[in-house]
Amino acid sequence: MKKNRKWLRWTVLALVLLLAVGTVFAAGLVDHKAVLSGRVSGQDLASAGQDVREGDVLVRVETVAGAQPAVRAAVNGVVRDVLVRPGDTIQAGKVVVRVERR
């Protein structure tokens, strides 16, 4: 009977640790990559410290049809890093914004 209790304690401890580690990683920074290539527009450019909701435009690029969204927030959170400035040329797939999940 004591063996079973000891095994149960270790199992519960392992599950609690896994849950804690998962929570820490889930609350980390989320990289946002551009889906369009082009020159970064100053219109709607996110800034560090800005609260964002999933779907908000973070970066626009100039196209023949005007400024188009190149990056939208994938999570609710706070912008921690904006890795581009107006006038920069970016390629699709490049990480341009980091958002801390909330």
Side-chain angles (χ1 to χ4, degrees):
M1 190 70 163
K2 283 189 176 187
K3 263 187 174 180
N4 285 341
R5 283 188 179 177
K6 193 173 186 178
W7 182 84
L8 181 61
R9 281 187 199 146
W10 281 108
T11 302
V12 170
L13 179 63
L15 289 173
V16 168
L17 286 174
L18 283 173
L19 181 62
V21 169
T23 301
V24 168
F25 282 112
L29 294 178
V30 178
D31 287 343
H32 287 70
K33 297 179 181 181
V35 295
L36 293 176
S37 298
R39 189 172 55 84
V40 176
S41 167
Q43 181 183 350
D44 293 333
L45 184 61
S47 58
Q50 177 181 341
D51 287 326
V52 294
R53 297 182 59 111
E54 184 177 345
D56 287 354
V57 175
L58 302 177
V59 177
R60 288 184 183 270
V61 293
E62 295 294 337
T63 69
V64 255
Q68 298 296 316
V71 181
R72 290 186 181 270
V75 296
N76 296 336
V78 176
V79 175
R80 289 297 174 215
D81 298 307
V82 179
L83 307 174
V84 295
R85 295 183 307 218
D88 288 353
T89 300
I90 59 172
Q91 298 298 317
K94 178 183 177 184
V95 174
V96 293
V97 179
R98 290 192 174 104
V99 175
E100 183 178 355
R101 184 188 308 259
R102 282 208 177 154

